[in-house]
Amino acid sequence: RANGIPGIDGTRRSQYVADAQGFIALTSDPRFKMYTDRSLMKDYDTNGSSSADAGALATSTLSVANFFAERILVHEAGATALAKYAIQQPAQSSTLSASADDAASRAFVMVLAPTADVRFMNGINGRLPRLCQFFSSTSNTDGGNNKMLTQDAVTTILLNPTAASTLSKTNRLRLEIGTGPETLPYQTKIADYFWFSSAQPPKVNMIPRLMN
């Protein structure tokens, strides 16, 4: 962790980051830059430790740069593993490669991840379309059907979200980032759905409005 991504040997790094070009290019994307500022780096505190919700071990020696590198590597590695699995499934049973009107033949791939790794749609979940397209272009197992895969194929559900876990400064959930004049073109929702258990029903004023 102290040496960042360069500290990982080449073989392991290629397993975690198969699409190196896309991985690097993403960091220059304006929407991702907004996500980094408004969500990803919010889990780094002034003492150099990462929050428990980020799924990383706290340390007093982790620099800002290495924290950022660690989180994007975790997201890329998780999305890479999921995309590889999806692409390798037979066409007749893969959600990502079955025809749109053939619902009966689709597989269902689900991953349980910390809220910090999927909120605002640019963590593990946001990388999946790019990686499925990447593996589709280098694989003959799906006939290239995943080259047109979009974010609409990925559904994100937050389980029992709290105001704190959505980075809200009030007692209400934060539903999006990018509400200012300069960031409005990159506005991003927190998730597709919320799911509350019966043991933790939300308060009436917790959700400020219905999401689009």
Side-chain angles (χ1 to χ4, degrees):
R1 300 181 75 203
N3 296 323
I5 293 177
I8 304 173
D9 68 78
T11 301
R12 290 179 61 198
R13 189 163 60 242
S14 65
Q15 294 175 345
Y16 300 150
V17 184
D19 178 22
Q21 184 175 355
F23 176 68
I24 295 171
L26 180 64
T27 59
S28 299
D29 180 79
R31 186 183 300 274
F32 184 79
K33 287 183 176 180
M34 181 188 69
Y35 160 77
T36 298
D37 180 59
R38 307 292 172 84
S39 179
L40 184 68
M41 296 308 296
K42 294 297 184 181
D43 291 307
Y44 182 87
D45 68 26
T46 55
N47 294 318
S49 62
S50 53
S51 73
D53 194 42
L57 297 175
T59 174
S60 59
T61 60
L62 193 63
S63 68
V64 172
N66 283 344
F67 173 81
F68 172 74
E70 178 189 76
R71 298 323 304 159
I72 63 173
L73 180 62
V74 168
H75 294 170
E76 185 77 5
T80 296
L82 286 170
K84 280 183 178 179
Y85 174 82
I87 294 297
Q88 291 170 357
Q89 301 313 299
Q92 67 271 18
S93 64
S94 173
T95 301
L96 301 178
S97 58
S99 61
D101 59 352
D102 190 13
S105 68
R106 298 179 185 178
F108 185 75
V109 181
M110 181 173 65
V111 60
L112 187 63
T115 297
D117 290 334
V118 295
R119 70 185 175 212
F120 300 114
M121 316 299 283
N122 278 277
I124 296 173
N125 44 356
R127 295 166 185 265
L128 275 171
R130 168 177 56 84
L131 285 162
C132 283
Q133 293 171 21
F134 171 79
F135 287 119
S136 178
S137 66
T138 59
S139 171
N140 295 321
T141 58
D142 74 334
N145 290 326
N146 289 305
K147 292 181 180 179
M148 300 303 293
L149 188 93
T150 68
Q151 193 65 46
D152 291 338
V154 181
T155 299
T156 299
I157 304 172
L158 296 190
L159 305 179
N160 294 320
T162 64
S165 70
T166 62
L167 305 178
S168 174
K169 295 182 179 180
T170 70
N171 61 351
R172 297 181 176 183
L173 300 179
R174 185 172 188 176
L175 302 184
E176 66 274 304
I177 53 175
T179 56
E182 296 181 355
T183 58
L184 194 59
Y186 314 116
Q187 187 174 92
T188 307
K189 60 187 176 183
I190 179 74
D192 293 299
Y193 300 100
F194 298 142
W195 190 328
F196 294 95
S197 65
S198 58
Q200 295 179 266
K203 295 181 180 179
V204 174
N205 65 347
M206 190 175 181
I207 302 177
R209 59 175 171 77
L210 294 178
M211 298 175 66
N212 294 331

